[in-house]
Each structure stands twice: as structure tokens, then as C-alpha cells.
Amino acid sequence: YVRRFKNDIEDATVRANFQDREIVRLGTELTLDELNFLEFQQNLKFQALDGIKNGSDRNDFLFSIGIFKAFLSSPKAALESINRRIGKVTTATSDSDSLEDNLIVLRELKLKLDNILLKKSDSKYQKLKDTLISLGWSGRKQDDRYVIFAERIDTIEYLKKNIQQDFNLTDDAIA
């Protein structure tokens, strides 16, 4: 993908029509369901760190960080990561005592993420939705266009689905 910068455009009249980007950082309070998930995830991380101190490999620590990073993208991205891991573990033939292979741990993470999604208690998505509404955006052709970046495809799909539902939009309204 190619990104053009305003200063790269030689024609002064065209360059003058480019608006400066405005980046606004928005914060939000986590829901109790999100805090519950993160408390469980952080406990896994500290267990893994204790294991490293006692000579275990770093896989459990990396697993806990991977789940955290997926959750930072969206609860849906974390859930899809957990679902893929559960699929691999249930078809695996080797025994392992690592956290990433522990079906009890994986199912507890899945349960907590399912709860967040079922209750629609994703604070970041709610903040995005509220912000779009406060900007007067309804997804119609005459509305301003906004570009939303996400690290994970699962998050993009999650956002698209929720925005379409919440704003009553068709498939072609969101690229």
C-alpha cells in the first residue's frame, strides 16, 4: 500500500485541499466483565513468570501475552485465538502441561470472552459507537468518512458486523 503525504504533492492548489489529520485519543472505563477477563489473564501471566523463575520454558508467558494482545484488539479477536487453540489442543495427540494446552484454562478464557460479547460489554466498541454518534455519523452517503485501523482481521470483521447492526447499514456501506 502506498501512502502519499501532503508535502509530496507538487501542485500547490491540490496540496492546499488536503486537510490536516486530527488524531484524538479517547479513553474509556473497562466493564466488570473485561476486568474479570483481564484479572484471569494477568494471573496466568504471573504463573508463567513464576514458572520461568523455576526453570520452565517461556511458552506459557508468551501465550499469556498473546492473549492479552489479542484482547487489546478486541474481545472477538481474543476469542477467535482461543477457539483456534482449543481446536488444535483437542486434535493433538501429545500430552502437555502448558497453559496453552490446558483445556480447563482455555475454556475458562473462552467463557469469559463469550460473556463479554454476549452482554455487549466491550467498552472500546461502545466508546467508538458513542463517538460516531456524537460526531453525527449515521453511515449515510452524505456523512463524513472515517478510517478505522485494527491490527487483526477478526477485529475488523467484528467492528464491521457491529457497526452494520447498530447503525442499520448494508454490506456496501462499509468498505
Side-chain angles (χ1 to χ4, degrees):
Y1 108 85
V2 177
R3 180 175 178 194
R4 306 262 344 236
F5 293 94
K6 185 166 130 175
N7 295 338
D8 293 337
I9 300 171
E10 294 178 10
D11 186 338
T13 57
V14 174
R15 185 174 46 238
N17 288 322
F18 272 77
Q19 297 176 1
D20 286 329
R21 261 189 319 172
E22 181 181 355
I23 299 172
V24 178
R25 178 168 283 201
L26 303 173
T28 187
E29 293 289 322
L30 295 173
T31 64
L32 289 176
D33 295 322
E34 290 172 314
L35 289 170
N36 186 5
F37 170 82
L38 288 170
E39 180 180 12
F40 188 79
Q41 179 275 327
Q42 290 295 301
N43 285 333
L44 293 177
K45 181 180 80 173
F46 290 123
Q47 276 181 286
L49 288 170
D50 287 342
I52 291 171
K53 289 178 188 174
N54 295 323
S56 295
D57 64 24
R58 301 173 68 148
N59 288 344
D60 286 347
F61 177 71
L62 295 174
F63 169 72
S64 70
I65 296 301
I67 294 305
F68 179 68
K69 286 183 67 177
F71 183 75
L72 289 178
S73 183
S74 72
K76 183 67 173 175
L79 178 63
E80 292 305 318
S81 293
I82 294 296
N83 285 338
R84 284 190 290 274
R85 188 68 205 155
I86 288 171
K88 287 180 184 175
V89 171
T90 54
T91 59
T93 56
S94 65
D95 287 335
S96 169
D97 60 351
S98 69
L99 291 175
E100 67 180 340
D101 294 333
N102 184 323
L103 280 174
I104 294 169
V105 169
L106 293 170
R107 288 184 177 133
E108 183 66 22
L109 287 165
K110 178 179 173 17
L111 180 69
K112 290 178 183 307
L113 292 164
D114 280 336
N115 191 42
I116 291 168
L117 294 168
L118 182 67
K119 289 181 170 181
K120 294 190 175 280
S121 58
D122 175 2
S123 61
K124 284 189 349 179
Y125 175 73
Q126 287 302 318
K127 183 66 171 187
L128 171 64
K129 178 181 160 187
D130 293 345
T131 300
L132 290 172
I133 290 169
S134 73
L135 293 169
W137 188 83
S138 62
R140 306 300 171 236
K141 286 186 179 186
Q142 69 274 13
D143 289 347
D144 287 341
R145 293 182 182 170
Y146 294 98
V147 178
I148 299 171
F149 294 94
E151 181 179 345
R152 295 177 182 247
I153 292 171
D154 294 322
T155 298
I156 295 290
E157 291 168 357
Y158 168 73
L159 291 173
K160 182 177 181 179
K161 177 183 168 229
N162 281 291
I163 289 171
Q164 281 181 302
Q165 285 177 352
D166 291 342
F167 291 91
N168 196 26
L169 302 174
T170 60
D171 278 344
D172 62 338
I174 298 177

